Amino acid sequence: MKKSMLSAIIISAVFSLLVLAGCDDPVNGNDDWLADTANPFIGTWKTETTNMQGVKTTTTREFKTDGTIVVTTKQGENDPVSSTSYYLVKDDILVISQTNSPYYTKHRFSVIDNNNIKLVEDLRGSTALYTREGEENPDVNRTTVLATAITGYWRSKNTSGATMYDWYNFSNDGTYHVYHWMNDDPHYIDRGEFGYYIDSADNFVSITGQYTVRVFTGFTRNDSSTPNTIGWTDESAKTFYTFDGETFAIP
């Protein structure tokens, strides 16, 4: 009798271990996968504030894979108001467009868990807590394809006989790499990888590998010229010319 009971206990314990071994995929936030993603903001996030008069403002931000944010603000009993912002993520830095100069805000963020992200604004040091709105989904599409993007190879000169110039490899995922061509070496200088977006006001917003943000106003694109051109018209006016990424000497 004792032997039978002992066998039953052993079988029960083994069965329990097998059941536990099958539970390697925690559900609903037990596995903090969000911190390991390149862009943890994909999805919808909420912030709430209450002013001195007791009026609560709730803001939801839907971060999309096209580099835009649908921002909906509900203040007190007023009807919600919606607008669109643009953004980029580079490492632990979030840059979001705004309508006034300097045309962006820059934040350093940290993922607390799968449902909470803390942001600290670079300029004023103010903090915000983004709380997930809706269910988390680790399998959601996170591949960025900008709504307004640049692709292909571009160079800073198109003059016959040029012996050196910077050239750019743009991707529609919001990144571009800059090199300097000189002495017939396309990679004579590697200036690094940058992030960018182009907002609805034709501001070209870029961030360097050292997290410096620059804004170039008056972005232009001409697809009918030969070669096609892009550039901006502010005090740092510049034009870039498309090329095949292989023929560096300009005839």
Side-chain angles (χ1 to χ4, degrees):
M1 180 70 176
K2 290 182 179 180
K3 185 175 181 180
S4 299
M5 290 181 63
L6 180 61
S7 298
I9 292 172
I10 291 173
I11 291 171
S12 177
V14 170
F15 179 76
S16 298
L17 287 172
L18 289 172
V19 170
L20 289 172
C23 298
D24 288 337
D25 298 319
V27 180
N28 295 330
N30 293 327
D31 180 12
D32 288 335
W33 54 267
L34 190 65
D36 296 326
T37 63
N39 182 357
F41 291 95
I42 296 299
T44 303
W45 301 86
K46 179 176 69 174
T47 58
E48 291 183 340
T49 59
T50 302
N51 64 18
M52 296 180 65
Q53 286 73 42
V55 178
K56 184 171 75 173
T57 298
T58 302
T59 303
T60 58
R61 297 173 176 86
E62 181 187 0
F63 286 78
K64 297 187 173 184
T65 57
D66 64 0
T68 64
I69 313 170
V70 177
V71 183
T72 303
T73 302
K74 178 79 166 61
Q75 185 177 48
E77 300 301 320
N78 297 328
D79 292 334
V81 177
S82 294
S83 61
T84 299
S85 294
Y86 298 75
Y87 78 99
L88 62 84
V89 174
K90 187 172 180 62
D91 299 330
D92 62 346
I93 299 295
L94 171 69
V95 179
I96 302 178
S97 68
Q98 63 180 38
T99 56
N100 302 324
S101 180
Y103 305 112
Y104 70 89
T105 55
K106 175 181 168 185
H107 313 260
R108 188 175 294 274
F109 68 86
S110 56
V111 176
I112 298 174
D113 53 41
N114 292 341
N115 296 295
N116 296 278
I117 304 177
K118 179 183 178 181
L119 293 87
V120 179
E121 188 179 339
D122 183 63
L123 186 60
R124 293 175 294 184
S126 57
T127 63
L129 180 66
Y130 282 12
T131 302
R132 185 183 299 281
E133 181 83 353
E135 295 296 322
E136 62 172 282
N137 183 2
D139 298 320
V140 72
N141 174 34
R142 294 178 179 274
T143 302
T144 298
V145 179
L146 294 186
T148 305
I150 307 168
T151 58
Y153 303 100
W154 304 79
R155 55 188 172 195
S156 60
K157 286 189 178 180
N158 197 46
T159 305
S160 177
T163 58
M164 66 179 75
Y165 54 77
D166 284 344
W167 63 280
Y168 304 72
N169 183 3
F170 276 95
S171 173
N172 61 7
D173 67 359
T175 63
Y176 66 101
H177 209 108
V178 184
Y179 300 96
H180 186 73
W181 174 72
M182 184 177 173
N183 293 345
D184 291 327
D185 182 355
H187 306 105
Y188 188 84
I189 299 175
D190 183 344
R191 301 199 187 280
E193 184 169 287
F194 300 72
Y196 79 96
Y197 65 77
I198 302 165
D199 67 19
S200 58
D202 293 328
N203 296 311
F204 180 92
V205 181
S206 176
I207 187 169
T208 70
Q210 289 73 43
Y211 311 115
T212 299
V213 180
R214 294 192 64 187
V215 178
F216 303 91
T217 60
F219 176 80
T220 61
R221 184 198 307 260
N222 188 340
D223 293 331
S224 62
S225 64
T226 305
N228 297 165
T229 63
I230 57 174
W232 40 79
T233 59
D234 65 6
E235 67 270 13
S236 302
K238 197 144 183 91
T239 300
F240 304 95
Y241 308 84
T242 189
F243 77 115
D244 60 9
E246 298 178 356
T247 308
F248 287 87
I250 304 172

